[in-house]
Amino acid sequence: MEYQVEIEKIDHFGRGIGKINNKVIFVPHTLKNDIVLVKIVKDKKKFLEGEVLKYIKKSPRTALCPYSNDCGGCSFIDISYDEQLQIKKEKVKDLFKKELGIPIKIEEVISDSNTNYRNKIRLHGKDKKLGFYKEKTNDLVTIDKCIISKDEINSIIKRLNSVIDNNIDEVAIRSNKEVMLDIKGSISKDIVLNNFKDIDTIYLNDFLIKGEGYITEDILGKTFMISNKSFFQVNTKVCSKIFYNIVNYLKEKKYHNALDLYCGVGLIGILISDFVDSVTGIEVVSDAIKNANQNKKLNKVNNVNFICDKVENRIHEFRDVDLIIVDPPRSGLDKKSITSMIEILPKAIIYISCNPNTLVRDLKDLLEHYKMERFFIADMFPNTYHVECVGLLCLKETSKSLEK
Ligand SMILES: C[S@@+](CC[C@H](N)C(=O)[O-])C[C@H]1O[C@@H](n2cnc3c(N)ncnc32)[C@H](O)[C@@H]1O
């Protein structure tokens, strides 16, 4: 059955919201004031989910990306950039209100270019074609370029498409100061080396076939080595602005011993090392810790140490830290780590989060002892619904008596 729906507004995930017989329906790929014919794909107790069959009236679009309807990676792409930022701000404010019952003052919304920002993408191959998987499926959406990725990445996509007569199952392209390719599939080493003579580092089926095995990136005057298995922030410009703010905040304070939890290649620990007496970084991926130790040497830093383990296994060992910085994956902190943080009770906690839902969940416990001194958000992933949040938490006066 088909229904005509007028889209009234956009939700936090970039889906249009309308109504059918007074029941709310969420419709992807629509904008405010669109009138669409939809079919219902999910009928839940409180809401419906629909799919557009036909646009009857279409609001103006920015039309930045030819693949946006199929790819689904950039669910905000048709929304003007100012409105995207506004939606992200509202999303975070609503979550704080709903989950924590408090208004949150967002003091800044950090942003930079909304296109050509990604320094890393992963493409899949199927039937000798490269592309992204359509959201929640293994259906390939073949692409020639990705407008949110850096130009260097797009030129490599074109070149990969010209050698795709060979089967590539998956390829990760990283473009920082140098370029790295990490290819998996049945393509010969000679073909790769002949076609990508200018690429600095190449892995083929997990073997290093060219270069030193790492590339580098400069952030706030420090240099970081990154190998194929190590995490690195995908938006270098926005990441630099976030850490500029954090470093400035630390310049005003005096903390002695810091923990950098989920430290990756040691980025935060090394950036803050000039402003504290000591830092210990903990990270589970061994290649990232290898990079972190290389980065420590490269930047001539000698007050930082790195441990390769899960945060939850080691955090309790650090009783005398007065600053804890956490930058967890989307799943947020686990209960054991939160309990340890509250036992350690440092003077300050800096929580960098790529998922506001898990951030507010974790803050429920932390805000019993800490007050939010400063809070800002950053648009690390323009044109997608994702938003990065940074909270600077200070120990409450009432909890100070619990300090050891
Ligand atoms: C969002 S990244 C942050 C990396 C780093 N802070 C940076 O800015 O580059 C999260 C990191 O946590 C690591 N990780 C995930 N689960 C972990 C755990 N349980 N214990 C330690 N590290 C973990 C991941 O490998 C990844 O490097």
Side-chain angles (χ1 to χ4, degrees):
M1 199 148 162
E2 298 174 2
Y3 297 88
Q4 182 167 316
V5 176
E6 177 159 5
I7 301 301
E8 294 163 21
K9 57 179 182 173
I10 301 295
D11 80 349
H12 294 161
F13 298 99
R15 300 175 303 180
I17 305 178
K19 279 191 188 127
I20 295 177
N21 299 330
N22 273 333
K23 196 168 177 180
V24 164
I25 181 162
F26 296 100
V27 192
H29 308 297
T30 55
L31 289 186
K32 192 176 167 188
N33 298 330
D34 277 356
I35 299 177
V36 282
L37 266 191
V38 296
K39 72 168 182 196
I40 294 171
V41 289
K42 245 185 216 166
D43 189 348
K44 299 270 187 186
K45 213 169 165 189
K46 291 193 173 158
F47 63 89
L48 305 162
E49 284 180 16
E51 202 175 277
V52 176
L53 296 170
K54 193 177 165 196
Y55 293 89
I56 295 167
K57 178 178 159 260
K58 220 171 174 180
S59 300
R61 260 98 170 138
T62 46
L64 283 174
C65 174
Y67 313 107
S68 62
N69 263 349
D70 298 320
C71 162
C74 292
S75 54
F76 276 23
I77 196 110
D78 286 328
I79 305 170
S80 77
Y81 193 48
D82 281 349
E83 199 184 335
Q84 290 186 27
L85 295 177
Q86 197 54 37
I87 292 174
K88 293 186 187 194
K89 228 170 138 173
E90 291 307 320
K91 170 184 182 158
V92 173
K93 282 183 168 177
D94 288 353
L95 269 171
F96 270 78
K97 204 66 192 254
K98 188 166 164 237
E99 299 299 325
L100 298 168
I102 53 167
I104 185 75
K105 183 171 172 275
I106 299 175
E107 54 179 73
E108 192 183 350
V109 181
I110 292 177
S111 65
D112 200 275
S113 170
N114 65 333
T115 56
N116 305 109
Y117 65 84
R118 269 196 86 96
N119 60 34
K120 180 186 176 189
I121 62 165
R122 188 180 299 280
L123 299 173
H124 299 279
K126 209 174 181 179
D127 304 331
K128 302 186 175 176
K129 292 195 171 92
L130 278 182
F132 293 117
Y133 283 148
K134 193 172 179 169
E135 219 181 355
K136 295 179 191 151
T137 72
N138 277 357
D139 303 344
L140 198 74
V141 179
T142 57
I143 61 157
D144 285 326
K145 68 181 277 190
C146 166
I147 64 122
I148 62 168
S149 299
K150 286 175 71 177
D151 287 339
E152 291 88 342
I153 291 185
N154 283 318
S155 80
I156 291 169
I157 297 176
K158 280 205 184 80
R159 290 164 60 192
L160 277 166
N161 274 328
S162 70
V163 292
I164 195 73
D165 275 355
N166 303 274
N167 275 316
I168 296 179
D169 298 328
E170 191 183 287
V171 56
I173 312 168
R174 265 184 159 161
S175 164
N176 292 88
K177 270 170 72 186
E178 303 86 24
V179 175
M180 181 192 288
L181 282 182
D182 188 357
I183 302 174
K184 294 193 173 66
S186 45
I187 181 167
S188 83
K189 181 177 161 182
D190 287 347
I191 290 181
V192 173
L193 290 176
N194 283 336
N195 280 281
F196 296 100
K197 288 196 173 93
D198 55 324
I199 302 293
D200 306 277
T201 286
I202 307 178
Y203 288 88
L204 178 60
N205 295 321
D206 285 327
F207 287 99
L208 181 66
I209 61 165
K210 186 164 182 230
E212 301 293 327
Y214 64 84
I215 51 174
T216 64
E217 186 61 279
D218 289 342
I219 308 271
L220 302 182
K222 305 244 191 288
T223 303
F224 297 89
M225 289 162 65
I226 312 153
S227 58
N228 63 331
K229 298 223 162 57
S230 306
F231 171 92
F232 200 76
Q233 305 284 353
V234 296
N235 187 332
T236 308
K237 286 185 179 155
V238 170
C239 151
S240 298
K241 290 182 183 179
I242 293 175
F243 292 124
Y244 178 80
N245 269 7
I246 292 177
V247 165
N248 270 347
Y249 170 79
L250 291 180
K251 274 183 193 165
E252 293 165 11
K253 308 272 173 178
K254 183 62 201 163
Y255 297 114
H256 298 282
N257 303 313
L259 277 181
D260 170 12
L261 302 181
Y262 311 89
C263 68
V265 301
L267 178 64
I268 301 174
I270 290 171
L271 289 179
I272 66 162
S273 61
D274 293 338
F275 311 102
V276 292
D277 300 337
S278 78
V279 188
T280 302
I282 306 178
E283 158 68 45
V284 72
V285 173
S286 60
D287 283 13
I289 285 294
K290 195 174 157 203
N291 288 150
N293 283 313
Q294 290 168 319
N295 291 331
K296 183 176 140 176
K297 278 199 192 126
L298 189 65
N299 293 289
K300 299 187 174 60
V301 170
N302 46 34
N303 58 345
V304 182
N305 283 308
F306 295 107
I307 295 172
C308 185
D309 207 336
K310 287 186 172 167
V311 165
E312 51 274 33
N313 292 345
R314 304 300 290 270
I315 178 175
H316 63 277
E317 293 171 19
F318 298 88
R319 295 281 156 181
D320 60 350
V321 296
D322 52 358
L323 171 67
I324 297 183
I325 303 185
V326 294
D327 184 9
R330 291 185 57 71
S331 51
L333 303 173
D334 76 351
K335 267 277 178 206
K336 213 170 144 191
S337 303
I338 297 178
T339 305
S340 293
M341 284 165 81
I342 291 172
E343 280 166 11
I344 297 168
L345 222 58
K347 283 200 179 82
I349 294 172
I350 301 181
Y351 195 140
I352 303 160
S353 160
C354 55
N355 182 352
N357 294 293
T358 51
L359 170 69
V360 292
R361 180 201 67 198
D362 297 345
L363 284 177
K364 270 185 195 151
D365 292 329
L366 295 174
L367 287 177
E368 283 183 23
H369 299 279
Y370 289 85
K371 65 175 177 6
M372 189 68 79
E373 187 174 274
R374 292 179 59 187
F375 185 83
F376 59 91
I377 66 173
D379 198 18
M380 189 83 105
F381 314 98
N383 298 314
T384 75
Y385 64 77
H386 297 287
V387 55
E388 193 88 359
C389 299
V390 182
L392 308 169
L393 300 147
C394 285
L395 193 60
K396 283 180 184 169
E397 283 299 324
T398 46
S399 291
K400 281 194 176 157
S401 56
L402 300 173
E403 270 184 299
K404 283 154 285 302

